[in-house]
Amino acid sequence: CALGAATYTDDHEMLVGKQEAVYCFNRDGRGATYAFEGEKVVLSWMRGYLLVVTMDAKAGASSTVTVYDMRNKLVAFSAAVPAVRFATYEWGGIVLVCGDGKVHRLAEKE
């Protein structure tokens, strides 16, 4: 997997992003597989949500940020942004650091 395309869940499962899917691993071996297409460059886990950043090969310096609600099995958010270099969960929201020097913050609405 790409550097940054792996993360751990709150339940200590390891998630690994490959071109064809996101694979889950736990202490018993390989677990669930989620078929999310695209070249994963960043995977991050935050409070039951999986953040997946994929590179858009056609658009060049563009990324697609998708937040999956893993409990309810739905897409909570998806948007195209300039190439994301780093993503983290801080201050109650998702912080994206892009290649153009801009920082974006995604906050959950109640």
Side-chain angles (χ1 to χ4, degrees):
C1 74
L3 183 65
T7 190
Y8 283 96
T9 68
D10 300 329
D11 298 329
H12 307 290
E13 288 186 319
M14 183 176 189
L15 303 177
V16 178
K18 302 289 259 177
Q19 175 73 26
E20 65 282 355
V22 173
Y23 300 98
C24 299
F25 297 91
N26 56 34
R27 65 179 174 264
D28 298 325
R30 189 163 156 190
T33 300
Y34 301 101
F36 305 143
E37 287 292 324
E39 178 188 350
K40 281 73 169 179
V41 291
V42 176
L43 252 64
S44 187
W45 183 266
M46 60 259 351
R47 294 178 35 209
Y49 295 97
L50 175 63
L51 170 80
V52 179
V53 178
T54 56
M55 287 301 291
D56 188 357
K58 296 175 185 151
S62 179
S63 299
T64 301
V65 175
T66 308
V67 179
Y68 296 97
D69 181 342
M70 301 305 285
R71 184 178 314 124
N72 296 313
K73 309 249 189 267
L74 58 88
V75 175
F77 175 82
S78 185
V81 295
V84 174
R85 300 288 179 234
F86 181 74
T88 188
Y89 180 75
E90 295 293 333
W91 308 298
I94 298 169
V95 179
L96 304 172
V97 179
C98 298
D100 62 359
K102 293 184 180 177
V103 176
H104 300 277
R105 183 173 180 275
L106 307 176
E108 183 177 13
K109 291 190 176 190
E110 298 292 328

XYZ file of all heavy atoms in Angstrom:
839
model
N 0.841 -1.183 0.000
C 0.000 0.000 0.000
C 0.882 1.240 0.000
O 2.062 1.184 0.346
C -0.947 -0.007 1.198
S -0.226 0.360 2.782
N 0.305 2.358 -0.356
C 1.040 3.617 -0.380
C 1.297 4.112 1.034
O 0.562 3.783 1.964
C 0.239 4.664 -1.157
N 2.352 4.886 1.198
C 2.658 5.484 2.486
C 1.477 6.355 2.909
O 1.038 7.226 2.169
C 3.925 6.326 2.386
C 4.414 6.968 3.669
C 4.824 5.892 4.666
C 5.579 7.881 3.390
N 0.900 6.115 4.071
C -0.266 6.857 4.539
C -1.589 6.191 4.242
O -2.635 6.648 4.679
N -1.565 5.080 3.479
C -2.811 4.405 3.101
C -3.108 3.225 4.014
O -3.596 2.185 3.579
C -2.754 3.969 1.645
N -2.798 3.387 5.299
C -3.118 2.366 6.295
C -3.417 3.077 7.607
O -2.853 4.138 7.891
C -1.967 1.391 6.464
N -4.315 2.502 8.392
C -4.692 3.117 9.663
C -5.244 2.040 10.588
O -5.458 0.898 10.176
C -5.723 4.248 9.454
O -5.890 4.959 10.668
C -7.062 3.710 8.970
N -5.472 2.419 11.834
C -6.067 1.522 12.825
C -7.416 2.068 13.265
O -7.605 3.271 13.382
C -5.164 1.392 14.054
C -3.983 0.491 13.825
C -2.757 1.003 13.457
C -4.107 -0.884 13.982
C -1.673 0.175 13.235
C -3.035 -1.720 13.768
C -1.817 -1.186 13.403
O -0.755 -2.016 13.181
N -8.358 1.147 13.555
C -9.670 1.534 14.057
C -9.633 1.586 15.580
O -8.640 1.204 16.197
C -10.756 0.533 13.625
O -10.530 -0.707 14.295
C -10.764 0.324 12.121
N -10.740 2.013 16.169
C -10.866 2.035 17.630
C -10.848 0.626 18.225
O -10.510 0.446 19.387
C -12.164 2.733 18.043
C -12.221 4.164 17.555
O -11.156 4.804 17.438
O -13.330 4.645 17.271
N -11.212 -0.381 17.409
C -11.226 -1.779 17.840
C -9.919 -2.496 17.543
O -9.853 -3.724 17.560
C -12.378 -2.526 17.171
C -13.729 -1.968 17.552
O -13.857 -1.465 18.687
O -14.655 -2.033 16.718
N -8.877 -1.736 17.213
C -7.533 -2.258 16.939
C -7.463 -3.128 15.697
O -6.662 -4.055 15.623
C -6.984 -3.009 18.158
C -7.037 -2.204 19.411
N -6.235 -1.109 19.638
C -7.825 -2.308 20.491
C -6.512 -0.583 20.807
N -7.485 -1.290 21.350
N -8.319 -2.850 14.722
C -8.209 -3.494 13.425
C -7.336 -2.618 12.546
O -7.380 -1.387 12.631
C -9.572 -3.648 12.747
C -10.466 -4.680 13.356
C -11.730 -4.857 12.543
O -12.302 -3.863 12.080
O -12.134 -6.010 12.377
N -6.533 -3.241 11.712
C -5.715 -2.490 10.764
C -6.435 -2.438 9.428
O -6.907 -3.466 8.931
C -4.355 -3.142 10.585
C -3.448 -2.372 9.665
S -1.825 -3.127 9.601
C -0.961 -1.869 8.706
N -6.546 -1.246 8.856
C -7.149 -1.056 7.545
C -6.043 -0.710 6.563
O -5.229 0.179 6.827
C -8.173 0.076 7.574
C -9.308 -0.062 8.586
C -10.195 1.174 8.526
C -10.111 -1.302 8.335
N -6.017 -1.404 5.429
C -4.988 -1.198 4.413
C -5.674 -0.881 3.095
O -6.531 -1.641 2.639
C -4.103 -2.454 4.261
C -3.061 -2.254 3.168
C -3.423 -2.789 5.578
N -5.301 0.245 2.492
C -5.905 0.660 1.226
C -5.073 0.235 0.041
O -3.902 0.584 -0.064
N -5.669 -0.542 -0.842
C -5.048 -0.950 -2.098
C -5.879 -0.361 -3.238
O -6.933 0.214 -3.009
C -5.013 -2.479 -2.201
C -4.277 -3.154 -1.078
C -2.802 -2.931 -1.150
C -2.162 -4.168 -1.722
N -0.748 -4.032 -1.904
N -5.421 -0.504 -4.456
C -6.099 0.064 -5.621
C -7.556 -0.387 -5.706
O -8.450 0.413 -5.948
C -5.349 -0.337 -6.898
C -6.021 0.091 -8.184
C -5.935 1.566 -8.447
O -5.026 2.235 -7.977
N -6.888 2.100 -9.191
N -7.808 -1.667 -5.467
C -9.141 -2.224 -5.693
C -10.059 -2.188 -4.486
O -11.272 -2.263 -4.633
C -9.025 -3.670 -6.202
C -8.418 -4.651 -5.212
C -6.894 -4.589 -5.092
O -6.248 -3.852 -5.848
O -6.358 -5.277 -4.212
N -9.497 -2.090 -3.262
C -10.347 -2.184 -2.076
C -9.594 -1.748 -0.821
O -8.393 -1.492 -0.858
C -10.836 -3.617 -1.902
N -10.334 -1.683 0.285
C -9.758 -1.475 1.613
C -9.933 -2.785 2.371
O -11.041 -3.314 2.469
C -10.448 -0.317 2.363
C -9.951 -0.221 3.791
C -10.230 1.002 1.635
N -8.836 -3.316 2.879
C -8.838 -4.601 3.578
C -8.690 -4.382 5.071
O -7.909 -3.540 5.508
C -7.692 -5.485 3.075
C -7.789 -5.786 1.605
C -7.065 -5.047 0.673
C -8.614 -6.802 1.144
C -7.157 -5.311 -0.679
C -8.709 -7.083 -0.211
C -7.984 -6.333 -1.120
O -8.084 -6.598 -2.451
N -9.419 -5.171 5.867
C -9.346 -5.111 7.325
C -8.605 -6.337 7.839
O -8.818 -7.444 7.359
C -10.753 -5.093 7.935
S -11.735 -3.694 7.429
N -7.754 -6.113 8.830
C -7.018 -7.198 9.468
C -7.178 -7.059 10.970
O -7.089 -5.958 11.507
C -5.531 -7.147 9.106
C -5.267 -7.332 7.641
C -5.194 -6.238 6.798
C -5.102 -8.601 7.114
C -4.956 -6.395 5.450
C -4.865 -8.773 5.764
C -4.788 -7.669 4.919
N -7.411 -8.191 11.642
C -7.487 -8.189 13.103
C -6.580 -9.298 13.625
O -5.873 -9.940 12.851
C -8.936 -8.348 13.584
C -9.599 -9.585 13.046
O -8.965 -10.614 12.849
N -10.905 -9.490 12.782
N -6.603 -9.529 14.914
C -5.688 -10.525 15.492
C -5.981 -11.941 15.015
O -5.131 -12.821 15.113
C -5.718 -10.451 17.009
C -7.038 -10.818 17.621
C -6.984 -10.733 19.141
N -8.286 -10.943 19.702
C -9.131 -9.981 20.049
N -8.762 -8.722 19.905
N -10.300 -10.261 20.544
N -7.179 -12.183 14.474
C -7.530 -13.505 13.963
C -7.179 -13.677 12.488
O -7.381 -14.747 11.932
C -9.025 -13.764 14.160
C -9.416 -13.752 15.629
O -8.591 -14.201 16.453
O -10.520 -13.272 15.943
N -6.709 -12.615 11.851
C -6.364 -12.683 10.431
C -7.117 -11.643 9.642
O -7.499 -10.593 10.157
N -7.369 -11.953 8.385
C -8.041 -11.014 7.505
C -9.529 -10.983 7.795
O -10.172 -12.019 7.940
C -7.789 -11.408 6.057
C -8.263 -10.381 5.076
C -7.629 -10.637 3.742
N -8.455 -10.064 2.710
C -8.280 -10.267 1.429
N -7.303 -11.022 1.019
N -9.063 -9.716 0.554
N -10.082 -9.770 7.864
C -11.500 -9.589 8.137
C -12.241 -9.120 6.901
O -12.038 -9.626 5.799
N -13.074 -8.117 7.078
C -13.940 -7.603 6.005
C -13.121 -6.916 4.909
O -11.999 -6.473 5.129
C -14.944 -6.623 6.580
N -13.721 -6.831 3.732
C -13.147 -6.121 2.591
C -14.189 -5.148 2.070
O -15.356 -5.507 1.915
C -12.764 -7.116 1.476
O -11.812 -8.045 1.991
C -12.172 -6.390 0.281
N -13.770 -3.904 1.824
C -14.671 -2.873 1.298
C -14.174 -2.448 -0.078
O -13.046 -2.002 -0.220
C -14.719 -1.673 2.240
C -15.176 -2.039 3.621
C -14.262 -2.193 4.664
C -16.521 -2.253 3.900
C -14.674 -2.537 5.939
C -16.942 -2.608 5.169
C -16.016 -2.746 6.178
O -16.432 -3.100 7.436
N -15.022 -2.600 -1.092
C -14.650 -2.327 -2.475
C -14.778 -0.837 -2.786
O -15.754 -0.392 -3.378
C -15.496 -3.154 -3.423
N -13.797 -0.060 -2.364
C -13.725 1.362 -2.694
C -12.677 1.505 -3.788
O -11.501 1.249 -3.556
C -13.307 2.202 -1.485
C -14.176 2.026 -0.264
C -13.626 2.027 0.993
C -15.546 1.892 -0.374
C -14.405 1.886 2.128
C -16.341 1.741 0.754
C -15.765 1.735 2.003
N -13.102 1.906 -4.972
C -12.196 2.012 -6.114
C -11.288 3.230 -5.996
O -11.610 4.208 -5.336
C -12.996 2.108 -7.418
C -13.652 0.807 -7.834
C -12.658 -0.259 -8.236
O -11.619 0.062 -8.849
O -12.917 -1.428 -7.919
N -10.152 3.169 -6.675
C -9.242 4.306 -6.782
C -7.945 4.099 -6.027
O -7.852 3.277 -5.124
N -6.941 4.865 -6.420
C -5.626 4.802 -5.782
C -5.683 5.525 -4.442
O -5.789 6.754 -4.386
C -4.575 5.448 -6.684
C -3.203 5.480 -6.080
C -2.224 6.293 -6.914
O -2.559 6.679 -8.042
O -1.133 6.540 -6.401
N -5.637 4.767 -3.354
C -5.732 5.359 -2.016
C -4.396 5.985 -1.629
O -3.368 5.318 -1.694
C -6.096 4.302 -0.961
C -7.555 3.908 -0.903
C -7.908 3.095 -2.046
C -9.249 2.408 -1.999
N -9.455 1.656 -3.200
N -4.430 7.257 -1.242
C -3.204 7.931 -0.799
C -3.241 8.227 0.692
O -2.196 8.341 1.319
C -2.922 9.213 -1.610
C -2.541 8.872 -3.033
C -4.096 10.156 -1.587
N -4.434 8.358 1.268
C -4.571 8.596 2.708
C -5.771 7.807 3.217
O -6.840 7.836 2.610
C -4.771 10.100 3.024
C -5.012 10.302 4.512
C -3.596 10.927 2.553
N -5.580 7.107 4.333
C -6.663 6.463 5.071
C -6.570 6.949 6.501
O -5.479 7.036 7.057
C -6.504 4.935 5.065
C -7.467 4.104 4.227
C -7.304 4.422 2.782
C -7.262 2.657 4.498
N -7.694 7.285 7.079
C -7.710 7.732 8.469
C -9.026 7.299 9.101
O -10.058 7.260 8.428
C -7.550 9.247 8.542
O -7.406 9.675 9.866
N -8.985 6.976 10.383
C -10.160 6.521 11.115
C -10.493 7.532 12.188
O -9.607 7.976 12.926
C -9.875 5.166 11.754
C -11.054 4.602 12.470
C -11.337 4.727 13.794
C -12.113 3.836 11.915
N -12.505 4.088 14.089
C -13.001 3.529 12.949
C -12.402 3.388 10.637
C -14.151 2.777 12.745
C -13.539 2.648 10.441
C -14.403 2.346 11.479
N -11.749 7.921 12.284
C -12.160 8.853 13.320
C -13.585 8.579 13.753
O -14.503 8.673 12.957
C -11.950 10.305 12.892
C -12.657 10.785 11.683
S -11.891 10.975 10.071
C -10.229 10.769 10.147
N -13.748 8.136 15.006
C -15.056 7.943 15.639
C -16.057 7.186 14.770
O -17.193 7.600 14.613
C -15.625 9.294 16.032
C -14.839 9.989 17.091
C -15.369 11.353 17.459
N -16.803 11.426 17.412
C -17.487 12.530 17.153
N -16.851 13.648 16.912
N -18.794 12.528 17.144
N -15.665 6.080 14.198
C -16.583 5.273 13.402
C -16.672 5.664 11.940
O -17.424 5.052 11.180
N -15.918 6.665 11.529
C -15.896 7.097 10.137
C -14.549 6.750 9.518
O -13.505 6.881 10.154
C -16.098 8.611 10.019
C -17.446 9.079 10.471
C -17.637 9.571 11.749
C -18.537 9.022 9.608
C -18.884 10.004 12.169
C -19.790 9.452 10.027
C -19.949 9.946 11.302
O -21.190 10.366 11.719
N -14.575 6.325 8.267
C -13.361 6.049 7.524
C -13.172 7.139 6.480
O -14.041 7.344 5.635
C -13.441 4.675 6.846
C -12.277 4.316 5.931
C -10.965 4.248 6.718
C -12.554 3.000 5.221
N -12.058 7.845 6.564
C -11.709 8.872 5.585
C -10.800 8.241 4.548
O -9.769 7.653 4.903
C -10.984 10.037 6.264
C -10.368 11.055 5.315
C -11.438 12.008 4.809
C -9.260 11.814 5.982
N -11.203 8.323 3.281
C -10.407 7.771 2.187
C -10.128 8.901 1.196
O -11.058 9.539 0.699
C -11.154 6.622 1.466
C -10.319 6.083 0.315
C -11.503 5.514 2.439
N -8.853 9.132 0.939
C -8.453 10.121 -0.062
C -7.888 9.356 -1.247
O -6.950 8.568 -1.098
C -7.396 11.099 0.487
C -6.971 12.076 -0.603
C -7.927 11.838 1.693
N -8.493 9.550 -2.417
C -8.030 8.900 -3.638
C -7.540 9.948 -4.622
O -8.067 11.067 -4.665
C -9.152 8.072 -4.296
O -10.278 8.914 -4.537
C -9.577 6.915 -3.423
N -6.506 9.589 -5.382
C -5.993 10.482 -6.415
C -6.816 10.314 -7.678
O -7.159 9.194 -8.050
C -4.529 10.173 -6.724
C -3.575 10.616 -5.640
S -3.634 12.384 -5.290
C -2.949 13.054 -6.775
N -7.118 11.415 -8.318
C -7.841 11.395 -9.581
C -6.810 11.459 -10.699
O -6.251 12.516 -10.965
C -8.812 12.570 -9.644
C -9.732 12.496 -10.837
O -9.588 11.562 -11.662
O -10.601 13.367 -10.955
N -6.535 10.317 -11.324
C -5.499 10.238 -12.354
C -5.805 11.132 -13.551
O -4.897 11.683 -14.176
C -5.336 8.793 -12.811
N -7.075 11.309 -13.862
C -7.459 12.120 -15.019
C -7.286 13.609 -14.749
O -6.960 14.374 -15.640
C -8.899 11.823 -15.410
C -9.105 10.401 -15.863
C -10.556 10.118 -16.125
C -10.705 8.640 -16.456
N -11.976 8.104 -16.102
N -7.526 14.029 -13.505
C -7.467 15.457 -13.175
C -6.073 15.911 -12.757
O -5.856 17.085 -12.532
C -8.466 15.777 -12.075
N -5.134 14.989 -12.612
C -3.771 15.367 -12.277
C -3.576 15.665 -10.810
O -3.364 14.777 -10.012
N -3.642 16.934 -10.437
C -3.347 17.351 -9.058
C -4.613 17.464 -8.215
O -4.720 18.335 -7.371
C -2.606 18.677 -9.077
N -5.558 16.592 -8.430
C -6.811 16.644 -7.698
C -7.021 15.347 -6.922
O -6.622 14.276 -7.352
C -7.977 16.858 -8.664
O -9.193 16.887 -7.970
N -7.646 15.472 -5.760
C -7.974 14.317 -4.921
C -9.474 14.305 -4.681
O -10.129 15.340 -4.745
C -7.293 14.418 -3.556
O -5.912 14.445 -3.671
N -9.990 13.137 -4.384
C -11.365 13.013 -3.933
C -11.328 12.557 -2.487
O -10.702 11.550 -2.167
C -12.152 12.007 -4.777
O -12.141 12.437 -6.140
C -13.590 11.888 -4.300
N -11.980 13.330 -1.621
C -12.067 13.005 -0.199
C -13.452 12.417 0.044
O -14.458 13.052 -0.265
C -11.862 14.257 0.678
C -12.073 13.933 2.142
C -10.484 14.842 0.444
N -13.482 11.195 0.571
C -14.745 10.535 0.861
C -14.733 10.076 2.306
O -13.761 9.462 2.750
C -14.969 9.326 -0.069
O -14.806 9.746 -1.427
C -16.351 8.748 0.111
N -15.800 10.397 3.030
C -15.944 9.964 4.416
C -17.079 8.949 4.447
O -18.206 9.253 4.068
C -16.256 11.151 5.353
C -16.431 10.668 6.781
C -15.158 12.202 5.265
N -16.738 7.733 4.890
C -17.706 6.642 4.965
C -18.152 6.456 6.408
O -17.320 6.379 7.312
C -17.095 5.336 4.466
C -16.719 5.366 3.011
C -15.422 5.635 2.621
C -17.672 5.116 2.028
C -15.066 5.665 1.287
C -17.320 5.144 0.689
C -16.013 5.421 0.317
O -15.670 5.449 -1.002
N -19.463 6.370 6.621
C -20.023 6.028 7.921
C -20.080 4.503 7.948
O -20.947 3.887 7.334
C -21.419 6.631 8.067
C -22.073 6.336 9.402
O -21.629 5.395 10.101
O -23.043 7.024 9.735
N -19.130 3.893 8.660
C -19.003 2.444 8.618
C -20.119 1.730 9.385
O -20.474 0.613 9.051
C -17.633 2.024 9.151
C -16.478 2.628 8.356
S -16.555 2.287 6.594
C -16.046 0.590 6.573
N -20.668 2.368 10.393
C -21.750 1.751 11.158
C -23.018 1.643 10.322
O -23.693 0.625 10.304
C -22.026 2.556 12.424
C -23.074 1.904 13.323
C -23.322 2.674 14.611
N -22.099 3.094 15.267
C -21.805 4.370 15.585
N -22.657 5.335 15.321
N -20.672 4.671 16.186
N -23.368 2.730 9.622
C -24.599 2.753 8.828
C -24.382 2.395 7.365
O -25.323 2.394 6.583
C -25.241 4.136 8.930
C -25.663 4.441 10.342
O -26.276 3.620 11.009
N -25.301 5.622 10.828
N -23.134 2.131 6.984
C -22.776 1.715 5.627
C -23.255 2.707 4.564
O -23.964 2.345 3.626
C -23.324 0.326 5.334
C -22.976 -0.697 6.380
C -22.012 -1.684 5.845
C -21.812 -2.845 6.783
N -20.745 -2.720 7.695
N -22.852 3.980 4.731
C -23.214 4.997 3.752
C -22.094 6.016 3.601
O -21.192 6.101 4.434
C -24.520 5.684 4.141
C -24.603 6.388 5.499
C -24.131 7.814 5.418
C -26.031 6.339 5.986
N -22.169 6.776 2.520
C -21.207 7.847 2.270
C -21.710 9.088 2.993
O -22.781 9.612 2.693
C -21.052 8.130 0.761
C -20.150 9.321 0.528
C -20.528 6.900 0.048
N -20.930 9.570 3.966
C -21.328 10.739 4.738
C -20.912 12.037 4.059
O -21.541 13.068 4.242
C -20.716 10.668 6.144
N -19.826 11.986 3.260
C -19.318 13.193 2.604
C -18.417 12.780 1.455
O -17.690 11.789 1.554
C -18.508 14.041 3.599
C -17.846 15.240 2.987
C -18.559 16.402 2.783
C -16.515 15.190 2.615
C -17.946 17.513 2.216
C -15.896 16.300 2.045
C -16.622 17.459 1.851
N -18.451 13.544 0.370
C -17.538 13.332 -0.744
C -17.352 14.641 -1.483
O -18.334 15.347 -1.753
C -18.077 12.258 -1.690
O -17.123 11.986 -2.688
N -16.088 14.975 -1.788
C -15.804 16.214 -2.512
C -14.434 16.126 -3.169
O -13.541 15.428 -2.684
C -15.844 17.416 -1.573
N -14.283 16.860 -4.257
C -12.986 16.976 -4.926
C -12.255 18.168 -4.328
O -12.837 19.236 -4.149
C -13.176 17.164 -6.417
N -10.991 17.976 -3.995
C -10.151 19.031 -3.431
C -8.781 18.944 -4.085
O -8.440 17.923 -4.683
C -10.019 18.906 -1.891
C -11.343 19.110 -1.207
C -9.417 17.579 -1.508
N -7.974 20.027 -3.976
C -6.593 19.924 -4.482
C -5.869 18.775 -3.782
O -6.276 18.342 -2.702
C -5.977 21.270 -4.112
C -7.134 22.194 -3.958
C -8.269 21.346 -3.449
N -4.812 18.291 -4.381
C -4.092 17.110 -3.887
C -3.854 17.161 -2.383
O -3.188 18.049 -1.879
C -2.769 16.968 -4.614
N -4.421 16.198 -1.658
C -4.291 16.125 -0.200
C -2.975 15.431 0.134
O -2.669 14.364 -0.382
C -5.471 15.355 0.425
C -5.259 15.153 1.912
C -6.768 16.087 0.161
N -2.192 16.066 0.999
C -0.917 15.500 1.435
C -1.021 14.816 2.796
O -0.291 13.887 3.079
C 0.151 16.583 1.518
C 0.423 17.268 0.225
C 1.165 16.340 -0.724
N 1.404 17.021 -1.978
C 1.049 16.552 -3.146
N 0.418 15.407 -3.227
N 1.292 17.207 -4.247
N -1.946 15.300 3.643
C -2.057 14.782 5.000
C -3.472 15.019 5.498
O -4.085 16.025 5.171
C -1.049 15.489 5.911
C -1.067 15.014 7.332
C -0.524 13.792 7.679
C -1.651 15.787 8.317
C -0.551 13.350 8.989
C -1.678 15.354 9.633
C -1.122 14.137 9.968
N -3.972 14.087 6.299
C -5.298 14.239 6.909
C -5.238 13.718 8.333
O -4.567 12.724 8.613
C -6.351 13.474 6.114
N -5.936 14.406 9.238
C -5.984 13.977 10.626
C -7.309 14.398 11.237
O -8.038 15.208 10.660
C -4.805 14.548 11.446
O -4.792 13.957 12.739
C -4.891 16.055 11.563
N -7.600 13.844 12.394
C -8.807 14.190 13.131
C -8.381 14.953 14.373
O -7.776 14.386 15.277
C -9.582 12.923 13.507
C -10.845 13.195 14.276
C -11.968 13.691 13.636
C -10.904 12.978 15.638
C -13.127 13.944 14.334
C -12.066 13.232 16.356
C -13.173 13.716 15.691
O -14.324 13.975 16.385
N -8.630 16.254 14.396
C -8.255 17.122 15.516
C -9.363 18.129 15.776
O -10.069 18.522 14.866
C -6.958 17.877 15.210
C -5.740 17.006 15.065
C -5.325 16.327 16.357
O -5.617 16.859 17.448
O -4.707 15.252 16.273
N -9.480 18.570 17.029
C -10.412 19.621 17.427
C -11.843 19.326 16.997
O -12.597 20.215 16.599
C -9.963 20.976 16.904
C -8.558 21.307 17.252
C -8.035 21.464 18.502
C -7.478 21.499 16.344
N -6.698 21.734 18.429
C -6.325 21.771 17.111
C -7.360 21.459 14.960
C -5.089 21.992 16.548
C -6.132 21.688 14.404
C -5.023 21.959 15.194
N -12.234 18.068 17.012
C -13.597 17.696 16.679
C -13.930 17.726 15.205
O -15.090 17.729 14.826
N -12.929 17.737 14.329
C -13.183 17.745 12.896
C -12.019 17.156 12.127
O -10.959 16.864 12.678
N -12.212 16.974 10.846
C -11.172 16.446 9.960
C -10.383 17.619 9.402
O -10.965 18.579 8.895
C -11.799 15.629 8.821
C -12.558 14.429 9.388
C -10.742 15.187 7.827
C -13.423 13.722 8.381
N -9.080 17.545 9.496
C -8.198 18.584 8.975
C -7.454 18.006 7.777
O -6.800 16.968 7.889
C -7.204 19.068 10.050
C -6.272 20.124 9.480
C -7.943 19.601 11.267
N -7.564 18.672 6.626
C -6.892 18.257 5.400
C -5.826 19.278 5.046
O -6.104 20.474 4.974
C -7.882 18.169 4.241
C -9.107 17.278 4.420
C -10.069 17.476 3.255
C -8.687 15.835 4.528
N -4.608 18.817 4.829
C -3.517 19.682 4.378
C -3.273 19.347 2.917
O -2.946 18.206 2.580
C -2.240 19.469 5.210
C -1.124 20.367 4.708
C -2.510 19.713 6.684
N -3.442 20.350 2.051
C -3.350 20.133 0.610
C -1.983 20.551 0.071
O -1.258 21.316 0.695
C -4.448 20.906 -0.109
S -6.094 20.361 0.358
N -1.681 20.054 -1.108
C -0.404 20.339 -1.749
C -0.221 21.794 -2.138
O 0.909 22.259 -2.292
N -1.299 22.544 -2.272
C -1.194 23.957 -2.632
C -0.996 24.847 -1.408
O -1.022 26.073 -1.509
C -2.416 24.409 -3.423
C -3.724 24.293 -2.657
O -3.692 23.832 -1.489
O -4.767 24.644 -3.219
N -0.811 24.235 -0.219
C -0.559 25.004 0.999
C -1.805 25.374 1.776
O -1.710 25.945 2.853
N -2.975 25.040 1.273
C -4.218 25.366 1.969
C -4.586 24.262 2.956
O -4.265 23.098 2.757
C -5.355 25.577 0.979
C -5.168 26.796 0.115
C -6.351 27.018 -0.777
C -6.099 28.264 -1.629
N -7.185 28.493 -2.556
N -5.279 24.671 4.023
C -5.769 23.736 5.036
C -7.285 23.834 5.053
O -7.841 24.916 5.127
C -5.187 24.077 6.418
C -5.770 23.162 7.480
C -3.674 23.983 6.404
N -7.944 22.684 4.965
C -9.398 22.629 5.006
C -9.810 21.871 6.258
O -9.167 20.899 6.652
C -9.964 21.899 3.785
C -9.602 22.538 2.489
N -10.286 23.582 1.961
C -8.594 22.265 1.600
C -9.746 23.936 0.812
N -8.718 23.149 0.581
N -10.906 22.306 6.883
C -11.423 21.632 8.063
C -12.864 21.221 7.800
O -13.695 22.052 7.430
C -11.365 22.541 9.282
C -11.830 21.852 10.544
C -11.592 22.718 11.778
N -12.052 22.047 12.973
C -13.317 22.081 13.421
N -14.232 22.750 12.770
N -13.635 21.443 14.517
N -13.147 19.947 7.994
C -14.497 19.411 7.837
C -15.059 19.178 9.228
O -14.433 18.513 10.051
C -14.485 18.098 7.063
C -13.779 18.092 5.705
C -13.767 16.696 5.123
C -14.447 19.068 4.755
N -16.238 19.740 9.503
C -16.857 19.595 10.821
C -18.178 18.855 10.671
O -18.931 19.074 9.720
C -17.082 20.958 11.453
N -18.464 18.007 11.654
C -19.718 17.251 11.654
C -20.846 18.154 12.151
O -20.704 18.849 13.134
C -19.588 16.039 12.582
C -20.806 15.168 12.589
C -20.629 13.937 13.456
O -19.665 13.875 14.229
O -21.484 13.045 13.367
N -21.951 18.123 11.430
C -23.124 18.876 11.848
C -24.011 17.987 12.687
O -24.205 16.815 12.398
C -23.898 19.400 10.645
C -23.150 20.471 9.907
C -24.044 21.117 8.901
C -23.279 22.262 8.251
N -24.145 23.076 7.446
N -24.580 18.540 13.740
C -25.445 17.779 14.645
C -26.843 17.695 14.073
O -27.360 18.496 13.442
C -25.489 18.457 16.014
C -24.126 18.492 16.666
C -23.588 17.140 17.074
O -24.389 16.252 17.434
O -22.381 16.945 17.006
